[in-house]
Amino acid sequence: MMPGDNLTLVATAAAIGMSIGYVASSQMGTKSEPTGRPSGTSSGSHSKDGVRGRFLVGGNWKCNGTIESAKALIKILNEGGPIPLNSEVVVCVPAIHIPLALETLRDDIAVGAQNCGVNDKAGAYTGEISADQLVDMGVKWVVIGHSERREGFEMAGEDSALVAKKVKVATDAGLKVMFCIGEKKEDRENGVTMDVCAKQLEPAAKLLTVPEWSYVSIAYEPVWAIGTGLTATPEMAQATHASIRKWVSENVCPDVAKTIRIQYGGSMKGSNAHDLIAQPDIDGGLIGGASLKADFMNIWNSVL
C-alpha cells in the first residue's frame, strides 16, 4: 500500500458514511425537525378568552452575537423561569445562529428569522434565504419590513410593495410574520403618522387573503424610538395602535381587526413594558436591545 492510500481509504469511508447518513435522514422526512431542546415551563393562567399566547413578545437580536455570546444568551433564556401562559415568546436571531437556537434553546420559545427572500422557489438567488428553507429548518417566525431594512444599509432599502410580497411569500410557505410598520420623527411631528402606516399596510392588504392574516402580527415601530432610548408614552402608542386596528377593520376585515396582534416596538424594556402592554390595543412587543439581556424576561413577565 502506498503512503497516500490510507488517506484515500479514510476519505472514501467518510464519504460513504455521510451518504448513508443522508439517505437515512432523507427517508425519515424532508424537513429538519430539531430534537432534544430543553423543556420550558409555564406559569399563570390563560387569557380571559382561553387562548394561549394572547401577548406576543418577540426578541430581535439584529446583527449581534458571536457563537460564544449566543450560547451565553441562550443559557440565560433557558434559565429564565416560567413563561406566562397568556404570552407567546419568540427570538429572531441572525441567520448564522438559527441552527444553534433550534438545537439548544428551550422549547417554549420559538425561533424566528430576521428576513427572508422574496423568491418563492429555490434557484439563482445568491445570498438569499427562502421562506421554504426557513420552514425546512424548523423556523416558525420571520420579521419582515423592519425599518432598518426599509431604510437600507448603504444600499437601496425595501419599499412597501417589496415588503408586502415578502409577507405573502412567507405566509404561503407557512411562516408566521411580524410585519413591521412605523413613522419617522418628522412624520410624527407633522401629524401624518397614520398616513405613513396606512401606505405601508396597503400593498399587503391587496395581496393577502383574509385567512392569511391569521399568520401575521403587525409590529408598530416608531422609527424615532428604535435604538434611541426614546419611547412613545403608553397613551401615544395606544392611540396609534387603535388607529391601526381601525384601518385593518375598514380595509381588511372586522374579524381580522379583532384578532390580529399589534406589537409595540419602540425601545420597549422591562421598566416600561407593563404600562405599554396594559393598553387595550397593545398585544406585546418587538424588542431589540433589551432582548440581548436578562431584562427580556422582565418583559415577558410584564403580561402577568
Side-chain angles (χ1 to χ4, degrees), residues 114-116 128 143-153 155-159 163 166:
Q114 298 174 12
N115 183 43
C116 73
E128 292 296 270
V143 174
I144 295 179
H146 193 281
S147 63
E148 291 159 4
R149 295 198 63 83
R150 289 178 184 268
E151 192 68 19
F153 310 102
M155 61 182 181
E158 300 177 357
D159 61 25
V163 169
K166 286 188 172 189

Side-chain angles (χ1 to χ4, degrees), residues 43 80 82-84 274 296-304:
S43 67
I83 292 174
H274 182 271
F296 190 55
M297 281 84 82
N298 294 325
I299 298 173
W300 81 46
N301 284 317
S302 68
V303 306
L304 290 171

Side-chain angles (χ1 to χ4, degrees), residues 1-19:
M1 181 178 290
M2 298 298 290
D5 289 347
N6 284 336
L7 292 176
T8 302
L9 285 171
V10 171
T12 303
I16 292 171
M18 289 173 66
S19 298

Side-chain angles (χ1 to χ4, degrees), residues 54 88 90 115 142 272 288 292:
R54 160 72 174 77
E88 179 178 3
V90 183
N115 183 43
V142 62
N272 61 22
L292 299 170

